[in-house]
């Protein structure tokens, strides 16, 4: 198969015949296609994902579709998103080695990527729903974010290279449009594809849609998202885009990659830990989850601490781009000036991160794409109680983010809201 062939979606039945001559795939799983086992495992919103097992190994084949899979062909979407995912993965591997799956082959015409099969990894969100306390995720994710976000910015990259990269990813228009609408606007009015737990949340939804301060802040965050092309983002970093074992953490699915604010990935990621925290009461069929709730809050503390520490380390050792040049500070014996600039940057990241986290909570409960953390709670009343508390939390950190000064303060708020009997 070549990139010049007309696009055709793969299926379990056709994959072996169409990819049987692919050298990259055969070299990893074996050439005997008659013994290949193919299964489709894509449970995401956009793409086809196959696990292909052969006589010598296994691989993943991921193929974009010309529409949003969650909705159907009534919502067309360009195949070029696989191009951006491929290029994002190669950059993430270079900037944070070992943090993403290895890429074996990319076919732009067929919008498919053949990559490493991660086993026995499972999706992080599933692990958290099951109540697993993974020891390394905070450190691994904090390092990944710091390294990719710093090294993909004007703090580190040569100006020419960074501007060329900015131009390349600027064409990821349609996926940015999804984020711009689904995250920042749709939750706050009666958008066509919205859904929520009804009638239980109807009153709260009406209040949020009438909340002028919240809507102004959501649009301010949308403005920051659209205007601050600080670094190459993963663009969709959440607990469903991370695969884990007890000893390893890998980030996947960066097809939403684009140049945006450093705080965006951090906020999206931490929001998912806070949502997992609020969902735990809905997963207590086999016993109380107090220890799991404490673990999740500890993960937010450690993730932010590791991110901040590693970002600061890279600032001091790899600041070779055009911003905050050492010729203005360290080379003149003014190390404290460089530290002052670093503190100001991290403070801005902190403030914006809280805002992005708040609106991410709202869109995952009120918009199109929901989280399994809440969706797998079968009792609608119990699910709505968990969701209502998360919505209240999200509203507070988005609107009041400039007056919140520490992760402990955020987690104290989360704990107080979670313990409330009524919302």
């Amino acid at each position: 198969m070549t990139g010049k062939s007309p696009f055709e979606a793969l299926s379990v039945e056709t994959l072996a015949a169409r990819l049987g001559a692919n050298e990259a795939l055969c070299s990893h799983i074996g050439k005997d296609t008659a013994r290949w086992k193919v299964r489709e495992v894509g449970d995401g919103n956009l793409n086809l994902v196959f696990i292909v097992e052969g006589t010598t190994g296994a691989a993943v084949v991921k193929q974009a579709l010309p529409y949003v899979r969650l909705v159907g062909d009534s919502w067309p979407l360009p195949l070029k998103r696989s191009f951006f995912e491929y290029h994002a993965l190669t950059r993430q591997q270079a900037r944070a080695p070992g943090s993403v799956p290895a890429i074996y082959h990319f076919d732009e015409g067929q919008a498919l990527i053949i990559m490493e099969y991660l086993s026995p990894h499972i999706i992080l969100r599933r692990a958290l729903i099951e109540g697993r306390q993974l020891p390394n995720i905070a450190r691994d994710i904090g390092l990944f974010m710091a390294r990719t976000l710093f090294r993909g910015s004007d703090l580190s990259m040569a100006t020419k290279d960074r501007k060329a990269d900015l131009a390349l990813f600027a064409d990821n228009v349609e996926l940015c449009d999804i984020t711009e609408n689904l995250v920042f606007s749709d939750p706050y009015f009666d958008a066509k594809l919205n859904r929520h737990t009804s009638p239980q949340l109807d009153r709260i939804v009406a209040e949020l849609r009438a909340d002028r301060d919240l809507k102004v802040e959501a649009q301010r965050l949308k403005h920051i998202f659209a205007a601050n092309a600080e670094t190459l983002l993963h663009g969709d970093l959440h607990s469903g885009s991370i695969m884990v074992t007890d000893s390893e953490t890998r980030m996947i699915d960066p097809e939403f990659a684009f140049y945006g604010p450093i705080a965006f990935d951090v906020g999206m990621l931490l929001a998912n830990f806070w949502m997992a925290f609020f969902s735990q009461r809905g997963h207590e069929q086999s016993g109380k989850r107090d220890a799991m709730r404490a673990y999740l809050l500890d993960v937010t503390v450690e993730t932010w601490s590791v991110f901040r520490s590693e970002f600061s380390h890279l600032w001091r050792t790899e600041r070779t781009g055009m911003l905050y040049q050492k010729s203005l500070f360290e080379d003149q014996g003014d190390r404290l000036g460089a530290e002052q600039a670093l503190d100001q940057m991290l403070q801005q990241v902190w403030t914006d991160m809280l805002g992005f986290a708040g609106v991410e909570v709202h869109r995952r409960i009120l918009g199109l794409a929901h989280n399994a953390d809440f969706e797998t709670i079968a009792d609608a009343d119990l699910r709505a109680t968990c969701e209502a508390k998360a919505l209240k939390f999200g509203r507070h950190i988005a609107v009041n983010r400039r007056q919140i000064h520490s992760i402990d303060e955020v987690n104290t708020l989360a704990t107080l809201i979670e313990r409330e009997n009524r919302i």
Side-chain angles (χ1 to χ4, degrees), residues 190-218:
D190 187 19
K192 179 179 179 181
L193 297 176
N194 282 355
R195 61 185 179 88
H196 64 266
T197 304
S198 181
Q200 291 89 340
L201 294 181
D202 288 357
R203 176 184 59 81
I204 296 173
V205 172
E207 289 175 357
L208 292 175
R209 289 177 181 169
D211 190 329
R212 180 183 300 159
D213 290 341
L214 175 60
K215 290 187 291 184
V216 168
E217 293 301 336

Side-chain angles (χ1 to χ4, degrees), residues 150-180:
F150 186 93
R151 290 169 175 163
S153 75
D154 273 321
L155 296 167
S156 175
M157 293 181 71
T159 302
K160 180 180 179 182
D161 295 339
R162 191 261 182 186
K163 284 182 166 54
D165 230 29
L166 176 63
L168 185 149
F169 283 95
D171 194 36
N172 201 4
V173 176
E174 290 80 9
L175 268 66
C176 283
D177 180 70
I178 289 175
T179 301
E180 288 154 3

